[in-house]
Structure formats: C-alpha cells, structure tokens
C-alpha cells in the first residue's frame, strides 16, 4: 500500500525563481494539505485541496499557489522565491474530513533558496 | 496568541522513566487532538489521537485531554532511547478542515 509520495526530495533554487513540488496521496485518500516547516519550528499550514478546489488557506502570500488533479495528486507552486522560503515542505493526505482523523505525511521536499 | 503552544524543551528524561509532554490550545471549538513524533530530518508520524476528555492508552503511550482547561498531554512510560525525537501537538478544527501544529517539544532520553 503506497503511502504519500513527494518529489523531488531535495531542491536548490536561486532567489526570484519559481518552483513546483509534487505530491501523490495515500491510496484511498482524497484530500491533500501542504505545510511548510522551517528548521526548529512546527509545520505551518499553507493550504488544503479537496475535489480539485482550495478548501482552506493559511497565512501565506499569493506567491504560494496549488492545484489538485482528478487523480487527487497535487502540486505546490512558489513564485519569486525568497531566502525565507527555504524549508521542508510537507504534503499530507487524508480521507474526507482529515481534521477529524489526522493526516498521513509524505517524506517531504527540502527546498533551499540561495 | 499562538493557537497551539508547547514548551520547546529540550526535555531530558532518564531511560526507563516517564516522559511527560504538555500542550495548550486557544480555540474552544477544537474537536480533535493529535500527537505526532518527528525524528530529525524525517517527516511527522501520527502516534496518538484523542477526541474526548480523559485518558487514552496505546502501549507505552497515554494521551490525556482536558477541554475545560484546553490542555492536552502525552505520557511515555518506560522511556527508551528510540523515543528521542521532537513531539508535535496538533489540533483539528473539523469545521475548518485543517490541523494546526505546535512548535514541538524536543525529547531526549539519556541512558
């Protein structure tokens, strides 16, 4: 049973560039949430996708955008990268109301902006 | 005010002792509560969930919830070196369909 898969695992980008991160949810899950985790901090909620629509959004600028595809996979796009965007980006999947049953996390994408 | 607060630690506990981790939350509408374990360089792993007041036990782990005090705790009995990790408290708001995490408590089990 495949868990949550994320790609790539590591990425180095230059300030001002754009990046796309990808996530495939666990089999049977239809909801994808994205989190940013800076070093030494807890995961910060970016947004959540369900039925190909953004359902909830955290306190992140419009430079952060996303998409969910009919097969429930998802992308996170970040434009005009800043040094402060360097972090571990976590994708979490759930079935239906994930806030009730908790999330399953992927292994993350480590983004470094130089 | 942070929505979910934890003591960042580090919390150092001798092997075989009980480790006690605490968390408070601000929104009384919170409905689901979780403890995640995160090893260095890895992603969070769900270890406990609790939804009603009282205690919930699973092996060496016990989660405690007190909604009146807006307080959640995790007890780890017979602590092992493999329990050394960061423990994240998380709170779910089903109406908002999102889970909010605390900043985590770093736990170190010393032999």
């Amino acid at each position: 049973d495949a868990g949550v898969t994320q790609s790539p695992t590591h990425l180095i980008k230059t300030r001002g560039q754009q990046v796309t991160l990808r996530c495939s949810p666990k089999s049977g899950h239809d909801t994808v949430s994205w989190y940013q985790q800076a070093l030494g901090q807890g995961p910060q909620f970016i947004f959540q996708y369900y039925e190909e629509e953004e359902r909830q959004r955290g306190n992140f600028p419009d430079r952060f955008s996303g998409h969910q595809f009919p097969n429930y996979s998802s992308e996170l796009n970040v434009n005009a990268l800043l040094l402060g965007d360097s972090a571990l980006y976590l994708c979490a999947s759930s079935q239906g109301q994930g806030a009730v049953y908790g999330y399953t996390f992927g292994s993350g994408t480590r983004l470094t902006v130089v | 005010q942070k929505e979910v607060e934890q003591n960042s630690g580090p919390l150092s506990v001798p092997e075989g002792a009980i480790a006690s981790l605490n968390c408070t939350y601000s929104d009384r509408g919170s409905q689901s509560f979780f403890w995640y374990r995160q090893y260095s360089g890895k992603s969070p792993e769900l270890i406990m969930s609790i939804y009603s007041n009282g205690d919930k036990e699973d092996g060496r782990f016990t989660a405690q919830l007190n909604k009146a005090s807006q307080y959640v705790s995790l007890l780890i009995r017979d602590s092992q070196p493999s329990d050394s990790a960061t423990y994240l408290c998380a709170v779910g708001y089903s109406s908002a369909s999102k889970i909010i995490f605390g900043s985590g408590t770093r736990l170190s089990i010393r032999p």
Side-chain angles (χ1 to χ4, degrees), chain B residues 24-85:
Chain B
T24 59
Y25 60 94
S26 60
D27 191 333
R28 288 191 174 273
S30 305
Q31 298 179 302
S32 49
F33 307 86
F34 309 95
W35 284 98
Y36 282 80
R37 178 177 60 200
Q38 186 173 29
Y39 292 113
S40 180
K42 302 295 185 182
S43 61
E45 172 193 12
L46 179 64
I47 55 172
M48 289 290 287
S49 57
I50 186 167
Y51 306 100
S52 55
N53 283 329
D55 295 359
K56 179 182 177 182
E57 186 175 319
D58 184 0
R60 296 187 296 111
F61 298 97
T62 298
Q64 299 174 316
L65 174 61
N66 184 326
K67 289 187 176 181
S69 301
Q70 297 175 247
Y71 180 88
V72 193
S73 65
L74 178 70
L75 301 178
I76 306 175
R77 291 181 300 280
D78 188 23
S79 296
Q80 303 296 311
S82 60
D83 295 326
S84 296

Side-chain angles (χ1 to χ4, degrees), chain A residues 35 37 40-43 45 48 55-56 88 90 97-103 105-107, chain B residues 32 34 36 38 42-44 46 51 88 92-103:
Chain A
Y35 286 81
Q37 186 175 27
Q41 301 297 315
F45 178 76
Q48 182 181 83
R55 184 195 289 190
Q56 292 286 330
L88 178 66
L90 294 163
Q97 291 185 309
V100 176
Y101 301 113
Y103 296 158
F105 281 91
S107 56
Chain B
S32 49
F34 309 95
Y36 282 80
Q38 186 173 29
K42 302 295 185 182
S43 61
L46 179 64
Y51 306 100
L88 298 162
Y93 307 82
S94 64
S95 61
S97 299
K98 64 180 180 181
I99 293 176
I100 301 299
F101 286 80
S103 57

